[in-house]
Amino acid sequence: MIVAAISDGLGNQMFQYATAHANAQRLGVPLALDLRWFAHGHRKYGLDQFPLSARLLLQDEAEAWVPDLILTQYFAFTARRWYQRIGYFYWLKIKSGGRRRIVMDPEFPATGTLRNGSYLIGNWEHEHLFRDHRISLLRDFNDQLALGPAAAIKARQINDTMTPVAIHIRRGDKESDTAGVCPAEYYAKAWQHLAGRLDRPVPFVFSDDLPKARQIFSNVPSAVFVDEPNVLSDWESFSLMRRLSLIHISEP
């Protein structure tokens, strides 16, 4: 069996599932998801909106795979390498008789082929890890729930637009993150690039900071601001984005 620790927002949850799903399919073994992070994290588990081909680990079952104390160290924002080594060698090599191993995101390219009994922790934001399983992943990520009233109104607006374009402006926690955020000039140049190549495009702007998003697109009167605070769920925002047209832009 392959076990994946699921954490963070919906996007990362989907990356985590996709990589674990691809490896479980390749090995022909079951896939299970460990959701313990959500007992302490500030995000909600969102994959329950999809008909996934995986089961959820029970608390006792998850603890038997990787004890809470060790898992907490792996999820720590400041990595404590010696704790990780102790946890790895004692639990996964000694107590489990070497049958299990933790595979972390930065180590993945060097691990080679995963084996049965691996426990995955990471975000796995690399398409090559699951590209060959695109068909089964599209089936697992198929929408199965009806949109709420607010999201349904936006969906009709998208459907009635000739050339809708999704734009996501992530700020919030990213402003203090080492990755930082894109400056307003980035979005302005990107929109100019699109507007010069598409027929009457309309930007549908998704953001966790609507005041800043409105400021950035203040010169685009056609802009539609989709996310309303505490109204749309992460899944509904994702569902709306995937309804937007897939557009291929040819270079001049």
Side-chain angles (χ1 to χ4, degrees):
M1 183 165 66
I2 295 292
V3 176
I6 305 298
S7 64
D8 301 308
L10 181 60
N12 281 335
Q13 293 176 41
M14 294 177 72
F15 276 118
Q16 292 158 356
Y17 177 82
T19 297
H21 169 88
N23 281 281
Q25 291 285 306
R26 178 179 56 79
L27 293 169
V29 298
L31 171 60
L33 310 180
D34 184 350
L35 307 186
R36 282 178 288 173
W37 183 88
F38 297 98
H40 309 286
H42 63 285
R43 298 279 192 164
K44 294 181 179 180
Y45 177 62
L47 298 182
D48 54 351
Q49 310 299 322
F50 303 114
L52 303 183
S53 54
R55 69 180 183 88
L56 306 183
L57 287 184
L58 300 175
Q59 175 66 30
D60 292 346
E61 207 177 0
E63 174 75 16
W65 267 81
V66 177
D68 287 338
L69 178 61
I70 295 175
L71 185 67
T72 300
Q73 298 303 329
Y74 275 87
F75 273 131
F77 289 107
T78 302
R80 301 178 182 179
R81 298 298 180 185
W82 63 279
Y83 270 114
Q84 293 175 0
R85 292 192 184 103
I86 289 175
Y88 180 88
F89 283 107
Y90 173 70
W91 181 258
L92 299 171
K93 282 191 174 296
I94 298 174
K95 193 168 182 180
S96 74
R99 294 188 301 276
R100 297 172 181 169
R101 64 181 308 200
I102 288 179
V103 180
M104 295 185 68
D105 198 9
E107 299 176 356
F108 193 92
T111 59
T113 302
L114 288 182
R115 66 169 185 258
N116 187 17
S118 292
Y119 184 99
L120 307 185
I121 301 180
N123 288 332
W124 320 105
E125 297 165 341
H126 309 281
E127 183 191 4
H128 71 273
L129 298 175
F130 47 80
R131 183 189 298 120
D132 293 342
H133 296 268
R134 181 176 182 273
I135 300 301
S136 59
L137 284 169
L138 287 174
R139 182 174 60 248
D140 278 9
F141 288 146
N142 183 39
D143 295 348
Q144 63 176 356
L145 299 179
L147 295 173
I153 292 173
K154 297 297 184 183
R156 288 194 292 271
Q157 193 171 2
I158 290 171
N159 293 337
D160 292 339
T161 300
M162 177 178 178
T163 312
V165 178
I167 297 176
H168 190 278
I169 300 178
R170 173 77 177 274
R171 294 181 64 84
D173 59 325
K174 287 299 180 182
E175 291 190 276
S176 59
D177 191 277
T178 55
V181 296
C182 295
E185 293 77 12
Y186 168 84
Y187 295 101
K189 290 179 66 175
W191 180 248
Q192 290 174 4
H193 179 84
L194 289 172
R197 291 163 172 76
L198 300 177
D199 185 12
R200 287 175 287 173
V202 174
F204 283 78
V205 183
F206 299 77
S207 179
D208 59 352
D209 186 348
L210 277 181
K212 186 63 177 180
R214 292 181 187 277
Q215 179 183 339
I216 292 173
F217 279 85
S218 61
N219 294 325
V220 184
S222 63
V224 178
F225 298 91
V226 178
D227 281 358
E228 297 295 339
N230 303 317
V231 174
L232 302 184
S233 67
D234 290 345
W235 168 77
E236 286 178 319
S237 294
F238 168 78
S239 182
L240 291 174
M241 280 187 270
R242 77 187 305 179
R243 290 165 185 260
L244 293 161
S245 301
L246 297 176
I247 303 169
H248 175 71
I249 301 176
S250 300
E251 291 297 330

